Amino acid sequence: MSHSTAVFDALDRFHIELPSWGFADTGTRFGKYLQPAAAATIAEKIQDAAQVHALTGVCPTIALHVQWDFPEGLASVAQVQTAAQRNGVRPGSVNPNFFEDQEYKFGSFGNPDERVRAKALEHARESIAIAKALGSRDVSLWFADGSNYPGSANIRQRKKWFEELLARTHAELNADQRMLIEYKPFEPAFYHTDIADWGMAAMLARAAGERAKVLVDTGHHYSSQNIEQIVAWLLAENLLGGFHFNDRRYADDDLTLGSIDPYQVFRIFHETRFFEWETGTAADIAYMIDQSHNLKGKIEAAIQTVSIAQELRAKAALVDHARLAAAQQAADIVRAECCLQDAFSTDVRPAIREWRAAKRLPADPMQAFRESGYLDRITAERAPRKSANRSTYA
Ligand code: LRH
Ligand code: MN
């Protein structure tokens, strides 16, 4: 198969979901730098995501966060559906919020107070009902639950509560829905986090039911962890449900994909492609972005992210899997490694431009965006309402 055919095939089958929260003003605990053009309403978030889809052709769905995008809960569904239809994108994964309400100080599903656990379960149920109303397949669960001091939490008891409540959440899903369990080693909890790594998420997913899978957020790993090995294991166990892609230098930095370690992302894409080649199956993976653009322009950062994702996905499609498998079998280490390095060092940008031309998409989406005048338009619309309501750390 020629390079461009492999690249075309890989890009034809690659969609990546943008997060609504990636277009809003976000910050760190040390503050939030407001951007005049940042989206504040769900209609604006969907409009901006649709702009990225129009320019790249590969972001037909937008991930939604219940508390941020559905202030009226189920009653907000119609407004979101209208905005999505008007902008030519579809609602994607639905993310409940088990971390912002004051009652969640000592946890949600893991909270010793059964009234708080019941509240969290009710929120999970409402989020699934919202997903059903939207026609969204995935409900993506992340829990900030944990503790900050040794001895302050009964880790085994909290595990039991998670097993019970995740099973009851699973029971709410309809036949074509999935629940994705996202793990994270720390932050905001700094002693233990109840779902801290892939193994804990995998065991909880298995215990919850067959519609439960694991979500791998690339920023949720210690810097020395081999993320692609985790991906390979989850694929082998048919437990990999999706990714939250971002990049980091230290911890959950939520930087733009490939800005620090593009070879890391390439190795992850390689493991999924190698699995598909070996099994002859299309892995059922939700590719999603989870970033917060504190300094970069929100839309530019999203276009940059999608373009890098396409490039790394295309490079991974160039790995000669038969040659690699033979080298692995022969323990020919150098030949095997070169299969990946040759693909990674191949400039796929000309083939990607060809693919975009064939799809009547701009050859350079970033340049097209800058020449579109869209940013000036939304800045003029949105800047007037921007007050210096910056949050202070203390
Ligand atoms: C937690 C997380 C989770 C989201 C949030 C915005 O760090 O990765 O996926 O809910 O970021
Ligand atoms: Mn995430």
Side-chain angles (χ1 to χ4, degrees), residues 182 215 217 220 244 246 290:
E182 182 178 0
L215 188 146
D217 185 314
H220 294 183
H244 273 180
N246 46 64
D290 180 6

Side-chain angles (χ1 to χ4, degrees), residues 78-390:
Q79 185 209 0
V80 172
Q81 279 173 322
T82 307
Q85 271 142 19
R86 187 181 313 124
N87 288 280
V89 292
R90 296 193 314 277
S93 61
V94 170
N95 296 254
N97 187 316
F98 298 113
F99 50 92
E100 278 186 330
D101 287 2
Q102 291 301 311
E103 291 99 323
Y104 295 145
K105 180 177 180 180
F106 300 117
S108 62
F109 278 19
N111 195 303
D113 183 335
E114 64 182 332
R115 290 164 301 177
V116 178
R117 296 199 302 276
K119 169 192 163 84
L121 179 61
E122 194 39 48
H123 181 59
R125 287 201 175 106
E126 182 186 28
S127 301
I128 292 172
I130 287 172
K132 286 174 181 170
L134 291 169
S136 291
R137 181 188 188 208
D138 290 340
V139 177
S140 191
L141 311 173
W142 172 67
F143 298 89
D145 291 44
S147 67
N148 279 0
Y149 299 97
S152 62
N154 181 328
I155 295 170
R156 288 173 286 98
Q157 175 55 64
R158 295 167 74 100
K159 175 178 178 286
K160 280 204 201 93
W161 288 326
F162 268 93
E163 285 163 352
E164 178 210 338
L165 295 175
L166 286 170
R168 292 170 70 181
T169 301
H170 185 279
E172 298 289 325
L173 300 170
N174 62 25
D176 65 358
Q177 287 188 302
R178 303 186 306 174
M179 59 189 248
L180 308 181
I181 300 175
E182 182 178 0
Y183 56 89
K184 184 175 182 180
F186 64 89
E187 189 204 42
F190 292 110
Y191 170 64
H192 102 283
T193 293
D194 289 294
I195 309 181
D197 68 20
W198 72 277
M200 298 176 195
M203 292 175 79
L204 288 169
R206 273 264 146 83
E210 62 174 13
R211 317 209 65 72
K213 304 288 182 184
V214 176
L215 188 146
V216 176
D217 185 314
T218 51
H220 294 183
H221 300 87
Y222 301 113
S223 50
S224 56
Q225 266 183 294
N226 185 326
I227 303 174
E228 60 270 25
Q229 179 183 5
I230 294 170
V231 169
W233 271 62
L234 290 171
L235 283 165
E237 295 292 326
N238 186 25
L239 278 173
L240 181 63
F243 291 102
H244 273 180
F245 280 117
N246 46 64
D247 214 331
R248 81 277 173 65
R249 183 64 195 79
Y250 302 103
D252 189 20
D253 310 347
D254 281 343
L255 302 177
T256 46
L257 179 75
S259 57
I260 305 292
D261 188 355
Y263 196 47
Q264 165 68 83
V265 182
F266 167 85
R267 297 194 306 270
I268 290 172
F269 279 143
H270 162 65
E271 285 301 336
T272 62
R273 295 287 296 169
F274 192 36
F275 170 83
E276 292 180 328
W277 174 79
E278 216 169 77
T279 60
T281 63
D284 185 3
I285 299 170
Y287 294 99
M288 303 179 278
I289 300 289
D290 180 6
Q291 293 170 183
S292 70
H293 309 121
N294 304 334
L295 304 180
K296 289 180 177 178
K298 317 277 177 188
I299 299 171
E300 289 197 356
I303 293 171
Q304 190 188 23
T305 298
V306 173
S307 302
I308 296 278
Q310 286 182 301
E311 214 176 306
L312 295 167
R313 181 75 180 173
K315 286 173 186 277
L318 297 182
V319 174
D320 181 335
H321 296 121
R323 185 179 165 81
L324 174 65
Q328 289 173 340
Q329 192 50 44
D332 185 335
I333 297 170
V334 174
R335 187 192 298 273
E337 187 186 24
C338 286
C339 288
L340 272 67
Q341 291 178 335
D342 293 351
F344 183 70
S345 52
T346 303
D347 185 357
V348 292
R349 291 172 295 183
I352 292 176
R353 280 195 286 274
E354 274 175 51
W355 179 83
R356 289 173 176 155
K359 304 284 178 190
R360 302 202 180 312
L361 293 162
D364 180 339
M366 186 70 82
Q367 186 194 353
F369 172 67
R370 291 183 173 147
E371 291 165 357
S372 71
Y374 182 82
L375 188 57
D376 297 341
R377 234 183 7 263
I378 61 172
T379 303
E381 285 164 19
R382 299 172 187 178
R385 65 156 181 247
K386 282 286 152 113
S387 61
N389 59 3
R390 60 184 181 76

Side-chain angles (χ1 to χ4, degrees), residues 11-84:
L11 295 182
D12 283 345
R13 295 187 305 121
F14 182 60
H15 283 159
I16 193 153
E17 181 165 293
L18 298 170
S20 65
W21 55 93
F23 297 100
D25 276 324
T26 51
T28 71
R29 59 184 170 160
F30 299 104
K32 187 190 288 192
Y33 302 107
L34 305 180
Q35 295 187 16
T41 66
I42 184 58
E44 291 170 353
K45 295 171 186 174
I46 290 175
Q47 186 186 309
D48 294 354
Q51 188 65 207
V52 178
H53 181 49
L55 292 165
T56 64
V58 294
C59 310
T61 59
I62 179 171
L64 301 161
H65 227 287
V66 174
Q67 210 141 307
W68 304 334
D69 301 327
F70 300 84
E72 318 300 322
L74 265 170
S76 300
V77 164
Q79 185 209 0
V80 172
Q81 279 173 322
T82 307

